[in-house]
Amino acid sequence: MTEVYFLTSNLGKLREASLIAEQYGISLRQLPAKRIEIQSDDLARISAFSARVAARKHHVPVVVEDAGLFIEALGGFPGPYSSYVFKTIGVNGILKLMEGVRRREAYFLSVVAYCTPKGRSLIFKGRVDGYIASEVRGTGGFGFDPIFIPKGDTRTFAEMSSREKNLYSHRAKAFTKFFSWLAERRGNL
Ligand code: IMP
């Protein structure tokens, strides 16, 4: 069975990606190691660097995923700074910034970086368009899930199961591209 190590401490991300890995007969294992991260406003550069360092250090193929929430009315904020913004002002801070704002379009972008110990690396991207809710709704998921409603639904991601979220999500799209690429090259990496 093809094995890939997912460098993440986020169990929500691991759960969502594992559901897709299963469909392709790929074993996705958590690599709970320390992640080396560079400062950049380019999600692909951030994740590719981390994957390269970890694959060399641990001598296994490594996948890293970085995501961001881009809000149109805020000029794409918080984008690559989503993690910092989540930790500081959180979902309630975002709702406050969006008070009285009628244009609520936003999207999540996911960048999956894969790197082999020999240094071969590839990037896969996924995007989901939607809206910022007017209040916090739901208890599932993580991060900004309670305030993001994907286009085509009325529920926030936090009101969905992981499987339901995967029908729409940026992460599911990026990992589906990655796992289908990997499955085609099984045993030939
Ligand atoms: P990260 O750097 O990829 O872990 O994500 C940046 C920020 O966006 C973190 O605060 C995450 O909680 C949040 N985030 C990433 N992916 C999602 C998602 O699928 N739903 C909600 N929030 C997310």
Side-chain angles (χ1 to χ4, degrees):
M1 196 181 212
T2 308
E3 260 187 6
V4 186
Y5 286 79
F6 188 6
L7 178 61
T8 185
S9 55
N10 183 327
L11 297 181
K13 285 188 177 189
L14 184 66
R15 187 178 332 112
E16 291 171 20
S18 297
L19 286 172
I20 302 164
E22 272 170 23
Q23 294 169 16
Y24 288 90
I26 289 165
S27 158
L28 187 66
R29 301 178 154 234
Q30 185 185 18
L31 181 62
K34 191 169 158 37
R35 186 179 157 179
I36 310 293
E37 231 171 304
I38 51 164
Q39 282 277 338
S40 171
D41 53 11
D42 179 355
L43 292 180
R45 281 197 62 212
I46 302 172
S47 52
F49 182 87
S50 298
R52 203 172 316 120
V53 172
R56 276 206 198 122
K57 177 159 185 221
H58 300 281
H59 311 289
V60 288
V62 172
V63 66
V64 173
E65 190 245 5
D66 272 302
L69 174 66
F70 296 76
I71 302 175
E72 311 269 1
L74 304 180
F77 180 86
Y81 310 105
S82 295
S83 176
Y84 180 73
V85 168
F86 181 74
K87 276 187 240 150
T88 50
I89 63 171
V91 289
N92 289 314
I94 294 286
L95 288 182
K96 199 143 201 111
L97 289 174
M98 293 293 286
E99 249 169 35
V101 177
R102 292 207 358 250
R103 279 191 49 224
R104 304 192 74 86
E105 291 89 349
Y107 63 90
F108 270 115
L109 187 65
S110 160
V111 176
V112 166
Y114 171 72
C115 194
T116 66
K118 283 186 184 156
R120 177 169 193 203
S121 70
L122 278 152
I123 295 283
F124 302 85
K125 294 184 181 178
R127 169 177 166 153
V128 56
D129 288 281
Y131 306 94
I132 299 299
S134 45
E135 74 280 305
V136 170
R137 281 186 355 224
T139 53
F142 62 93
F144 298 106
D145 279 346
I147 57 165
F148 185 83
I149 303 167
K151 246 183 206 163
D153 212 296
T154 53
R155 298 166 297 171
T156 66
F157 272 162
E159 293 178 299
M160 300 180 183
S161 66
S162 298
R163 272 181 210 287
E164 288 168 332
K165 179 179 170 185
N166 270 358
L167 297 176
Y168 298 101
S169 92
H170 50 310
R171 179 163 306 103
K173 287 176 183 153
F175 271 102
T176 298
K177 286 182 194 167
F178 168 52
F179 290 133
S180 64
W181 174 86
L182 194 62
E184 272 178 26
R185 280 151 196 85
R186 210 177 289 274
N188 192 19
L189 294 168

